[in-house]
Structures are given as C-alpha cells and as structure tokens.
Amino acid sequence: MPQERTVRLQYGNRIEAVCVLGTRLWVDVYSAAPADAKTFSLKHTDGVQVEAVIDGQAEEATANGKQRWALSPSTILRLSMSQPSTEVSSDKVTVNYYSEENKTPIDQAGLFLTAIEISLDVDADRDGVVEKNNPKKASWTWGPDGHGAILLVNCDREVPWLPKEDCSDNKIYTREDLKDMSRMILRTNGPSQLPAGYEMVLYISISDSDKVGVFYVDNPFFGRRYIHILGRQKLFHVVKYTGGKAELEFFVEGLQFPDESFSGLVSIHVSLLELLMEGLPQTPIYTDTVTFHVAPWIMTPNTLPPVSVLVCSMKDNYLFLKEIKNLIEKTDCKLKICFQYMNRGDRWIQGPDFGYVTREPLFEAVTSLDSFGNLEVSPPVTVNGKEYPLGRILIGSSFPLSGGRRMTKVVRDFLQAQVVQAPVELYSDWLIVGHVDEFMTFVPIPGKKKEFRLLMASTSACYKLFREKQKEGHGEAILFKGLGGMSNKRITINKILSNENLVQQNLYAQRCLDWNRDILKKELGLTEKDIIDLPALFKLNEEGQAMAYFPNMVNMIVLDKDLGVPKPFGPLIDEQCCLEAHVCSLLQPLGFSCTFIDDISSYHKLMGEVHCGTNVCRKPFAFKWWHVVP
C-alpha cells in the first residue's frame, strides 16, 4: 500500500504541498467549503491524477472542470503524481464551490503541488547491485527465496598500527575499508530546490545507534571524503538536496554481531519533513526505510580448504616452527608468523590483522573453558532431516548436574544468537584444561556420502594396541625414548599395562569420551562408520581432572590431506613408533599424509599441542549463510 496523508484546503487561500511519487494525498474539500456551498467542481494540471471520492465511491476527475459533485462530510479528493516536477509548485488543483443553483463559483481553494521522487535503496535482492526502490527493501527473510540487505561487522584492522578494530572509530583511513561495508543510495528527482520549509533527514533509532554506522561520500568526483554521519551519538543527518536527478552514495558498516538482545536487524530511514510555520516542530510527511541483517559470526570447519597458517614465534619454539614450515611447504598454504613484539609472550594467540570479537562477563568467573581450543565447528551435517549447511558449533561444558565449569553465559548466548551454526554442548570439564580439541577433530573425505570423518581420542584403542604389541613380544618397548626430563623412570608397554591405577584412570577417561561420542552421534547424525579412534592415554591430577599422558595426536592441524600430528613419542618397535604407525595405517588409506611434529617441550608440557599453538585461515563457505532456514 502506498503511503497516504491528508491535506486540508482553505477557501480563499493558496495551499502548497509536496507529493512524493508513489504516495497519495487525501484532500479534504468539505471542511474548507463556504457555509452555503452545496456542490463543487475542480480543475487540475496534467501532472496530477485526481479522483473524487463521494460516500466511498471513487470517480476519476477530468482536467476541464465540467464535472460537478455534491458536498458531504464524506467528500474527499484522492491525488497522486507520476512524474517529478521541474519547478516548485508547478502543478495545481483548483476547487470551485457553488451554492445550490448558482452556476458561478461563490469561492474557490487552490492546492499548488511539487512532485518529488525519493527512494532510499540497498541491495535487497542480494545480487550485488543496489536496485531502485525494491518493494521488499524494508523487510528481511531467511532462506533461498528470502530477501533483504546484508551488512558486515567491520571488525578487522585495515591499518595495522591502529590500536583497535575499524568499527571502533568514526573514520575511514583507506578505500580497502569500504570492501567491508554495504552500499546504500539515496535517489532523488525533482526541482532544483525543495519548497521553503521542507528538508530531508536520514536517521536511525536509539536502539540501533550502537549497532550500525553510516558514512557519506562527499565530493565524489574530486578528492572523495568519507564523512561519518550516523551511528553512536549521531542519530540523524540532514541530507543536502541537490536538485534534478541525483544519487547520494553512503557506506554502511555493522558495529555489533547478533547477540542475545540483538536479532541482527537494523533499519535506516529517510524522511521528508515539513514546517507548517515558524516556531512549530517539523513533521514527517514521507518516510522510506531500508533494513539490513548483520552477518553472523561464522566458524570455518577443517573440511574447508586452508589458505594460511598462523603461529607465534617464541623463544623456545624454534624447532616447532621449523617443522611447521616443513609441513606447510607440502601444501599451497602460506605461513604467517606472529613475532614476539606482537604476541607479547602469548604463544596461544590466533594471529594478527584479523577480524575478532570479544565478550566480557560482568559477574561470572572466567575459566580455561573460555579459551577457544574449547570452540570448534563440525562440517555441514543433516540430522533427522534438519540441514545444518554451515555445520554446528561445538563447545565444552560440565557434566549435567555436576556444577562444574562451563563456558561463560555471555559467550554461550553470543554463539546461540548467530543462528546459522546451532551450538552443541559437549562434556569437557573432566579435563584439566577442558577443551573439546583435546579429544576430537574432523578431517575431510571428499567424494564420500559424508565428506568427513570424526577423529576421537580413545584410551580403549591405545590399550588394545599396547596389548597387541605385548603379545607380539614387544612389552619392553620404551616410551619417550631419548627425551630427557620426561620421566626419571624407564616407561615401557609392560609398565603401562601393569599400572592398575593408570588403567582405572583411563577407564574413567574412556567413559567421558564415550559420553561425548554419543552426543556427537546424536547431534551430528553420525554412525560408528563415521568415527575413527586414535590411541590416547590420560592421567589424572589430585582433583581428578585429566591431562594427556603423551602428546595427544587428535590435537592436530588439518590442511586438506596433509595432517600435522603431535609426535607421541610412543614405544619404538623396529625403530618405528608404534603409535605413529597405527595412526598412519588408519589415515593413509583415506589419502592422508601424516607429518608428526615435536611439540613436547614448547606446547605439550604447557598442556597444549599442535592445534592449540596454530590457527588456520580457510576459504569461506560457498554456501550463502542467508539461505539457511533456522
């Protein structure tokens, strides 16, 4: 339905009004009529379309003024205009009032009209083009047949030496920053200037002011400047009307991701304001609205192609870096090293010059479960007919009813609010560090019905392998051979198998692993054929929490078919680690190449492994997130 407003005539007076193309004016002719007027006629210029509505029945009015209608309280005119005016007040409607039998008008009222075209436009059909006046631009829907414009959160840093992310200030330092923003165009057409008392205003609501920012392109042809006009403390901006057919270009950035109290939808409005008389506030006579959905924060699973690997340089990880470099040379990836002046001694950080988001709890205590080895994502899955084309986020938590550690509520709420990768809570509080990447990962298997396999740490698989080697006569094979400082005792397969306390601890660990296995099968729609068990052992501290007994091979880096696996330093049999040989026998037939990386001194002793000390930037999903059906 077009926007409508009422204009009241005053007999004997000239009334001026602006009609925005696509709207209707309702003109009250009865209230303006002289007391003894019984009928009326009207004339209008060709640029105006007029209907007389009498007792609910509409009749098109011709321009020549020969029609005559009876006056009644329900009498009203319906006006519209289809072409913008070239001059102010260039179109006119004249109403003549008559007494009952008089053929000469006893009075008349005039309405002088200026037609203006106003359209605030965005890419509502998501094809990369800001089309004109899309009828669905003010709403937003999900799904492949959905509509509505999209907005990115500008949370990276195009200029490396700036202290904060780009969305934290009101400036554009480089045109590269514009690639993180969405275009919005205000299209106008009309006379060289607006009639006196009218102006256009672009504005946002107070509730959206901390979620969206708008920049105006000033002087677009000579020395472009980008002026911040909306967002934070700026709620409105008076738009300069340039006359004729014009397009004003704006760039819009998101300031916040969706969250518990923010659906992700923001709206921007333009209104034409009218001043009736000096001293009175302006009133809006026309408003056009566009709606954006801020893009959710999306994780990329191991099944997506790797682009670059990020790792920190530390005083004690030179050999680790060397082995990572050797692994990456086998791939098409780039290595990005975060040097000590940037990482400030934190070997676990995830890389410089990359978009990020933070959440800080107000009242909850932060634990190691809030570190992001405890934040993983599955490949795309279908569960009981429900599709998750971007996978599902996986986080570690405490055992139900145990009252243990959980990821803070503010982070869990944030992940849930992203909608497109519905989170699953696993049980990781049984581990000292408590991260899900300590017992699971995914590897790509393209071309299969399920294009991935879930790798899970398994103490049962480790004991089974060691018993097999013991039966083969290798019970005295030594673990950690050649590693000084790992243990003062000579650790063999026989000693591992005869250590009843260790056996019981790993039975407990396996029960925890099996609990997670069942959750993953249910929530990701997996079967046993989709899971590969990698040997692992754990030992418990005095509080009953577990840590890896030897470097945990499941905590690997996945670069397509090249896997960087923590070197386990397992029992040597014929000069080969039987743990490495077993893992290779499981993964090589699937096309994987395993490179075992020594992380024992630089990461394992600090309760982390290869995956903990690296991060992989991957190609984004080809699937469009807005096609998700929540």
Side-chain angles (χ1 to χ4, degrees), residues 215-517:
F215 291 84
Y216 168 58
V217 184
D218 188 32
N219 199 13
F221 302 106
F222 303 99
R224 296 165 70 99
R225 292 189 307 139
Y226 303 96
I227 302 171
H228 183 262
I229 60 168
L230 292 178
R232 298 187 174 90
Q233 291 79 27
K234 300 174 183 175
L235 297 180
F236 69 92
H237 171 76
V238 178
V239 179
K240 182 180 179 181
Y241 177 79
T242 58
K245 190 174 184 179
E247 292 187 357
L248 300 181
E249 187 176 28
F250 303 87
F251 287 90
V252 187
E253 67 176 353
L255 305 181
Q256 288 189 26
F257 286 100
D259 214 332
E260 181 188 25
S261 58
F262 172 41
S263 68
L265 294 175
V266 294
S267 294
I268 302 174
H269 318 271
V270 65
S271 284
L272 181 64
L273 303 183
E274 179 183 56
L275 180 64
L276 291 177
M277 62 178 295
E278 291 295 332
L280 293 179
Q282 294 172 306
T283 55
I285 64 169
Y286 172 78
T287 297
D288 203 12
T289 298
V290 295
T291 296
F292 293 91
H293 196 298
V294 177
W297 185 84
I298 298 174
M299 297 185 68
T300 52
N302 288 349
T303 49
L304 290 175
V307 175
S308 59
V309 175
L310 301 100
V311 63
C312 288
S313 173
M314 309 297 295
K315 292 179 179 179
D316 62 354
N317 75 341
Y318 171 77
L319 293 177
F320 176 81
L321 282 179
K322 185 177 179 180
E323 295 190 34
I324 288 290
K325 288 179 183 177
N326 292 337
L327 169 65
I328 291 172
E329 286 176 357
K330 302 177 183 179
T331 72
D332 295 327
C333 298
K334 295 180 180 179
L335 177 62
K336 294 185 178 181
I337 297 177
C338 183
F339 293 99
Q340 293 182 55
Y341 74 91
M342 297 180 75
N343 65 49
R344 293 174 292 178
D346 184 355
R347 73 188 64 223
W348 313 111
I349 71 170
Q350 303 289 288
D353 191 24
F354 202 80
Y356 66 94
V357 60
T358 59
R359 285 294 180 271
E360 296 183 14
L362 295 177
F363 306 109
E364 291 179 275
V366 175
T367 71
S368 63
L369 271 69
D370 294 297
S371 299
F372 295 121
N374 193 35
L375 178 62
E376 296 297 326
V377 65
S378 79
V381 293
T382 300
V383 185
N384 296 325
K386 168 66 174 175
E387 293 183 353
Y388 298 91
L390 302 177
R392 301 191 70 178
I393 286 173
L394 306 171
I395 61 173
S397 190
S398 57
F399 191 79
L401 306 179
S402 69
R405 298 170 296 172
R406 293 185 77 185
M407 183 177 282
T408 53
K409 185 176 185 298
V410 68
V411 177
R412 286 185 281 117
D413 289 344
F414 172 79
L415 298 175
Q416 190 72 45
Q418 306 315 304
V419 174
V420 296
Q421 294 177 310
V424 175
E425 284 196 59
L426 301 174
Y427 172 41
S428 66
D429 189 37
W430 62 281
L431 295 153
I432 293 175
V433 176
H435 291 180
V436 294
D437 70 350
E438 296 180 75
F439 59 81
M440 54 155 291
T441 193
F442 297 93
V443 292
I445 312 285
K448 300 291 184 181
K449 184 178 180 181
K450 266 200 179 65
E451 298 195 336
F452 66 90
R453 291 291 183 271
L454 168 63
L455 308 186
M456 286 203 71
S458 171
T459 64
S460 295
C462 187
Y463 273 98
K464 181 176 182 291
L465 176 65
F466 282 3
R467 290 190 184 102
E468 289 174 356
K469 298 306 175 185
Q470 186 184 54
K471 288 181 181 179
E472 293 171 3
H474 302 296
E476 289 303 305
I478 300 172
L479 286 76
F480 308 118
K481 189 173 183 179
L483 286 176
M486 283 302 297
S487 175
N488 295 324
K489 298 180 180 179
R490 182 172 177 271
I491 301 175
T492 64
I493 289 177
N494 287 336
K495 287 186 176 180
I496 293 287
L497 295 178
S498 62
N499 185 334
E500 187 58 30
N501 186 46
L502 187 63
V503 170
Q504 293 303 316
Q505 289 181 9
N506 279 279
L507 284 173
Y508 162 74
Q510 189 59 53
R511 289 193 177 185
C512 297
L513 292 165
D514 288 342
W515 176 273
N516 287 298
R517 189 188 198 94

Side-chain angles (χ1 to χ4, degrees), residues 89-274:
S89 301
S90 59
D91 286 288
K92 181 181 179 182
V93 176
T94 303
V95 177
N96 293 312
Y97 294 101
Y98 304 88
S99 61
E100 190 165 0
E101 296 183 359
N102 200 335
K103 294 182 179 181
T104 303
I106 59 174
D107 214 325
Q108 66 176 201
L111 178 62
F112 291 81
L113 295 165
T114 303
I116 297 176
E117 184 176 28
I118 300 174
S119 181
L120 187 61
D121 295 321
V122 292
D123 180 16
D125 59 3
R126 306 165 182 167
D127 65 352
V129 177
V130 179
E131 65 275 6
K132 184 177 179 180
N133 207 19
N134 188 309
K136 298 179 179 180
K137 64 186 179 182
S139 59
W140 207 95
T141 57
W142 292 93
D145 298 321
H147 63 267
I150 292 159
L151 196 59
L152 294 178
V153 176
N154 193 12
C155 62
D156 65 343
R157 287 186 301 163
E158 301 295 346
V159 181
W161 57 83
L162 292 177
K164 292 184 178 181
E165 63 270 32
D166 293 339
C167 62
S168 65
D169 59 31
N170 298 336
K171 297 180 180 179
I172 294 178
Y173 294 95
T174 168
R175 294 188 68 174
E176 287 297 308
D177 207 17
L178 300 179
K179 296 178 181 179
D180 298 330
M181 301 185 186
S182 296
R183 291 176 70 232
M184 179 175 72
I185 297 176
L186 177 59
R187 294 181 167 102
T188 58
N189 196 355
S192 59
Q193 61 185 21
L194 291 175
Y198 291 87
E199 67 180 8
M200 285 191 300
V201 175
L202 203 66
Y203 63 97
I204 56 176
S205 67
I206 293 177
S207 61
D208 285 347
S209 62
D210 61 344
K211 301 174 180 70
V212 65
V214 179
F215 291 84
Y216 168 58
V217 184
D218 188 32
N219 199 13
F221 302 106
F222 303 99
R224 296 165 70 99
R225 292 189 307 139
Y226 303 96
I227 302 171
H228 183 262
I229 60 168
L230 292 178
R232 298 187 174 90
Q233 291 79 27
K234 300 174 183 175
L235 297 180
F236 69 92
H237 171 76
V238 178
V239 179
K240 182 180 179 181
Y241 177 79
T242 58
K245 190 174 184 179
E247 292 187 357
L248 300 181
E249 187 176 28
F250 303 87
F251 287 90
V252 187
E253 67 176 353
L255 305 181
Q256 288 189 26
F257 286 100
D259 214 332
E260 181 188 25
S261 58
F262 172 41
S263 68
L265 294 175
V266 294
S267 294
I268 302 174
H269 318 271
V270 65
S271 284
L272 181 64
L273 303 183
E274 179 183 56

Side-chain angles (χ1 to χ4, degrees), residues 578-630:
C578 68
L579 290 171
E580 292 183 19
H582 181 73
V583 168
C584 288
S585 72
L586 295 172
L587 298 178
Q588 284 179 349
L590 298 174
F592 293 103
S593 173
C594 298
T595 299
F596 293 92
I597 297 173
D598 180 358
D599 70 355
I600 201 158
S601 61
S602 52
Y603 293 91
H604 174 75
K605 287 182 178 180
L606 300 172
M607 297 190 189
E609 309 287 2
V610 174
H611 182 266
C612 304
T614 58
N615 197 11
V616 182
C617 178
R618 300 183 183 276
K619 290 183 180 179
F621 282 99
F623 182 88
K624 297 176 175 61
W625 61 263
W626 51 91
H627 287 180
V628 168
V629 179

Side-chain angles (χ1 to χ4, degrees), residues 16-32:
E16 294 191 358
V18 169
C19 180
V20 178
L21 300 190
T23 68
R24 291 175 181 167
L25 297 183
W26 292 93
V27 181
D28 181 1
V29 294
Y30 180 79
S31 299

